[in-house]
Amino acid sequence: MKYILGNWKANKNFIEVKQWIYTFQREYRANKNVVLGIFPPTPFISYVQGKLKDCKNVFVGSQTVSSFEKGSYTGEVTATSLDGVAEYSIIGHSERRRVFAETDEQLSEKVMQALAHNIVPVYCVRDEKDPIPNGVKFVAYEPIIAIGTGQNEPAAQTLMMKRKMKLPHDVVFIYGGSVNEKNASEYFSTGEIDGFLIGKASLDPKQFILIAETAK
Ligand code: PEP
């Protein structure tokens, strides 16, 4: 199975979300070997999930999850509140580590929260030095210099990093960093990269679908 995950980050207002969904519904053709994941800003998760619930092989996820279970934590997005709405959650994105100072310890707690609430963590690492918490079955390797720069890492280098990580065989390994419809197939031709976490190119539904088509 191949996984094409789109992280919209803090982009799009409600009108733009509706336009994205409209185009996506018109253009998307499911493929049994390809799963698509969409990670909208939190206020739109439920809306997007409702709109796409009948699209085969499409799921909706959260861009983050709290390390707290519930309670007096104003503004937090808890796994308790996401349970039954989001199937996956990105955890440890380099922007969360850098801008919001999330630590390895907090990230471990977030993974525990997600797992306790039936949410699959998509755990982001910057290189082989970032520890991966127990229970993680989905690793997104995202080299900092490739994120949002237009300079994707060559697939051969990505493969070398995968080897250094010594991941168990049942772990899904995806790459993120300036993936687009032109460079995507380079990764799949290695036979060892299971998909992508995509930022900018996922904001355009047509481009997102074109990338997914390279996985067939
Ligand atoms: C990301 O932020 O996870 C990412 C991979 O972004 P981009 O595709 O824009 O490089």
Side-chain angles (χ1 to χ4, degrees):
M1 188 62 81
K2 297 285 184 279
Y3 297 86
I4 310 293
L5 312 186
N7 173 14
W8 293 358
K9 308 189 183 185
N11 292 300
K12 295 196 186 295
N13 61 29
F14 193 30
I15 291 170
E16 291 164 336
V17 171
K18 287 188 203 169
Q19 286 165 342
W20 194 101
I21 298 288
Y22 177 78
T23 307
F24 181 82
Q25 284 175 323
R26 207 182 51 205
E27 307 274 329
Y28 174 66
R29 302 285 172 274
N31 178 290
K32 65 177 175 18
N33 301 317
V34 186
V35 167
L36 269 63
I38 298 153
F39 295 77
T42 307
F44 306 127
I45 292 175
S46 197
Y47 175 81
V48 175
Q49 199 256 354
K51 285 286 175 190
L52 299 183
K53 66 179 183 322
D54 295 328
C55 286
K56 275 203 189 107
N57 280 10
V58 177
F59 67 78
V60 176
S62 169
Q63 297 174 17
T64 185
V65 67
S66 177
S67 53
F68 300 109
E69 183 162 32
K70 59 180 177 175
S72 304
Y73 303 105
T74 303
E76 280 291 83
V77 181
T78 64
T80 307
S81 65
L82 291 169
D83 196 340
V85 186
E87 290 169 77
Y88 287 69
S89 178
I90 297 171
I91 296 177
H93 193 283
S94 58
E95 289 159 10
R96 302 284 322 170
R97 295 177 191 256
R98 177 173 47 86
V99 184
F100 301 98
E102 292 186 355
T103 63
D104 288 336
E105 196 186 7
Q106 279 173 321
L107 296 175
S108 261
E109 285 161 8
K110 287 168 183 257
V111 167
M112 282 195 282
Q113 283 301 320
L115 292 174
H117 289 275
N118 310 307
I119 296 165
V120 177
V122 176
Y123 197 79
C124 300
V125 295
R126 298 160 294 184
D127 55 34
E128 82 286 7
K129 293 194 278 300
D130 282 335
I132 299 174
N134 287 339
V136 168
K137 294 279 178 227
F138 221 108
V139 169
Y141 160 54
E142 299 206 302
I144 300 251
I145 52 157
I147 296 182
T149 58
Q151 311 239 290
N152 66 303
E153 181 178 83
Q157 230 170 293
T158 305
L159 220 47
M160 270 159 44
M161 183 55 77
K162 184 183 178 192
R163 304 250 152 80
K164 276 195 201 166
M165 285 180 191
K166 298 191 188 349
L167 300 169
H169 288 298
D170 60 344
V171 167
V172 173
F173 176 82
I174 64 175
Y175 165 78
S178 300
V179 172
N180 59 38
E181 68 280 19
K182 294 192 188 82
N183 59 34
S185 53
E186 173 192 341
Y187 297 89
F188 289 129
S189 60
T190 66
E192 293 187 47
I193 295 167
D194 303 311
F196 302 119
L197 181 54
I198 303 163
K200 193 162 175 278
S202 72
L203 296 176
D204 174 354
K206 288 187 183 169
Q207 208 181 349
F208 188 54
I209 288 170
L210 281 178
I211 296 172
E213 283 171 358
T214 68
K216 285 180 186 167

